[in-house]
Amino acid sequence: MKKIPFVLFLLIGLSFCAYAQKTMLKTNIPYWLTASPNLGAEVAVTDNVSIELSAGFNPFKFGDDKQIKHWVVWPEARYWLNETYNGHFFGLHGVGGQFNMGGVDIPIWKLKNLKDRRYDGSAIGFGVSYGYQWVLSSRWGLEATLGVGYARFDYDIYSLGENGSKIGENKKNYFGPTKGAISITYVIN
């Protein structure tokens, strides 16, 4: 969690160091629904290539033993079929972060164990993505993207409670969705 200020500083610095007419800021709307503030900056490198860095975090505890604390970053290089910030794009992205989650009832796939345990660890991975950007005005847009790939998880498992004891540790390889967003975008002119 201590790396969050650095990531935010990096995002802000990236947006101000770039050419203003080639920089876009964005935020992932569904990610906000998990109480996770997030921000992204994207810079056009050529007419059809851009680089993006998005980050999000959740520092909150939601009652007794419920928390989905985490920070995550997604760097990405994108190739736009039409022109940057307009239409279809394909990307290569990375993903990395740390998490401390538990006590939350999410009855799907492997997340069902979050109800009875707390997981504290890190993840790093990469993948490919596809997306589409709708131009709403000269500055505003709407972007949807989905990525799949590989991630390596390294984590400790704890029992719930104020002084939850460590009950195990694990490392897992994951193949599947590694990125997803529906973002409101703003081009800086």
Side-chain angles (χ1 to χ4, degrees):
M1 295 290 182
K2 295 177 183 176
K3 296 179 183 177
I4 293 169
F6 172 73
V7 171
L8 293 176
F9 176 76
L10 184 61
L11 281 172
I12 292 167
L14 176 65
S15 67
F16 288 115
C17 291
Y19 296 105
Q21 65 269 38
K22 295 183 177 185
T23 302
M24 181 167 57
L25 298 178
K26 60 181 72 179
T27 190
N28 182 347
I29 302 303
Y31 199 21
W32 280 95
L33 298 176
T34 66
S36 300
N38 65 91
L39 180 65
E42 187 168 355
V43 177
V45 179
T46 69
D47 289 340
N48 294 87
V49 176
S50 64
I51 55 171
E52 176 195 32
L53 180 61
S54 292
F57 73 103
N58 184 315
F60 309 112
K61 194 168 185 178
F62 303 103
D64 292 334
D65 289 321
K66 298 178 181 178
Q67 63 187 29
I68 53 173
K69 294 181 179 182
H70 68 278
W71 66 263
V72 64
V73 294
W74 290 278
E76 182 172 27
R78 293 178 169 182
Y79 178 78
W80 296 78
L81 298 182
N82 185 21
E83 62 184 353
T84 52
Y85 311 147
N86 185 12
H88 302 274
F89 63 85
F90 292 94
L92 296 172
H93 66 271
V95 60
Q98 293 179 315
F99 54 89
N100 187 352
M101 304 178 177
V104 181
D105 188 11
I106 305 175
I108 57 172
W109 196 47
K110 304 229 179 209
L111 298 177
K112 63 185 176 191
N113 292 331
L114 280 174
K115 181 179 180 182
D116 303 316
R117 298 177 182 166
R118 182 173 62 85
Y119 297 84
D120 187 0
S122 62
I124 190 163
F126 60 91
V128 295
S129 57
Y130 164 78
Y132 192 88
Q133 168 91 11
W134 291 271
V135 176
L136 302 177
S137 72
S138 62
R139 293 186 185 219
W140 293 97
L142 180 67
E143 177 184 292
T145 184
L146 182 63
V148 295
Y150 164 81
R152 175 73 171 174
F153 288 85
D154 185 0
Y155 56 92
D156 295 328
I157 306 165
Y158 295 88
S159 60
L160 293 179
E162 187 68 29
N163 297 315
S165 59
K166 184 175 176 180
I167 57 177
E169 55 188 55
N170 205 353
K171 295 177 189 228
K172 288 208 175 198
N173 294 313
Y174 164 82
F175 295 92
T178 49
K179 185 173 186 173
I182 299 173
S183 300
I184 297 292
T185 65
Y186 181 78
V187 177
I188 300 173
N189 284 336

